[in-house]
Amino acid sequence: MHRPGATGRDLTDVVVRGRLTAIKGRCEEDSPTLLSTTVEVQMELFRGPGMTGRKVQVPIFVAVMLNGDIVDKQVFPIDFEFPSNVDRATVSTPGITMGLPVSAERSGAAY
């Protein structure tokens, strides 16, 4: 992420950068027609030289695909505050839950 209004062409514009380090998921059948999926995302965040303060909001998205098409996509803002004297931290999201329609013709594995 870059500072608002910055061109992003200079290292000093970088507010925060991150990378995904793990994704955990689980499914529970709520009913014969609904599969409840929960995803937890772990990422490593690096505080950039363009960051003022210690708080940042990082948007992540979770998408559900079926046959190569996105059928649902949700954006989740992750709020984080870097502790004093820390420029790198590991952050885990709370469980993100999405419901997937299932039937005898389409199981959860189709997603």
Side-chain angles (χ1 to χ4, degrees):
M1 290 176 44
H2 296 99
R3 284 188 304 216
T7 63
R9 296 185 180 165
D10 191 278
L11 180 62
T12 60
D13 292 337
V14 176
V15 172
V16 67
R17 66 185 175 88
R19 67 185 183 105
L20 298 180
T21 56
I23 299 172
K24 299 175 188 173
R26 63 182 176 280
C27 298
E28 295 177 15
E29 189 174 326
D30 286 347
S31 73
T33 59
L34 185 66
L35 182 67
S36 178
T37 62
T38 303
V39 176
E40 295 172 17
V41 178
Q42 182 178 316
M43 64 191 109
E44 191 172 27
L45 297 179
F46 302 86
R47 190 173 183 269
M51 186 173 185
T52 57
R54 306 212 67 76
K55 294 181 182 181
V56 67
Q57 187 177 76
V58 179
I60 66 165
F61 71 88
V62 175
V64 176
M65 297 184 70
L66 180 63
N67 300 325
D69 296 322
I70 296 174
V71 295
D72 192 7
K73 177 181 170 183
Q74 295 181 33
V75 178
F76 299 91
I78 306 301
D79 294 313
F80 182 73
E81 183 172 353
F82 284 91
S84 296
N85 299 321
V86 173
D87 290 334
R88 182 181 74 169
T90 300
V91 180
S92 295
T93 65
I96 298 168
T97 303
M98 299 174 82
L100 306 176
V102 292
S103 65
E105 295 80 30
R106 181 179 298 143
S107 72
Y111 297 98

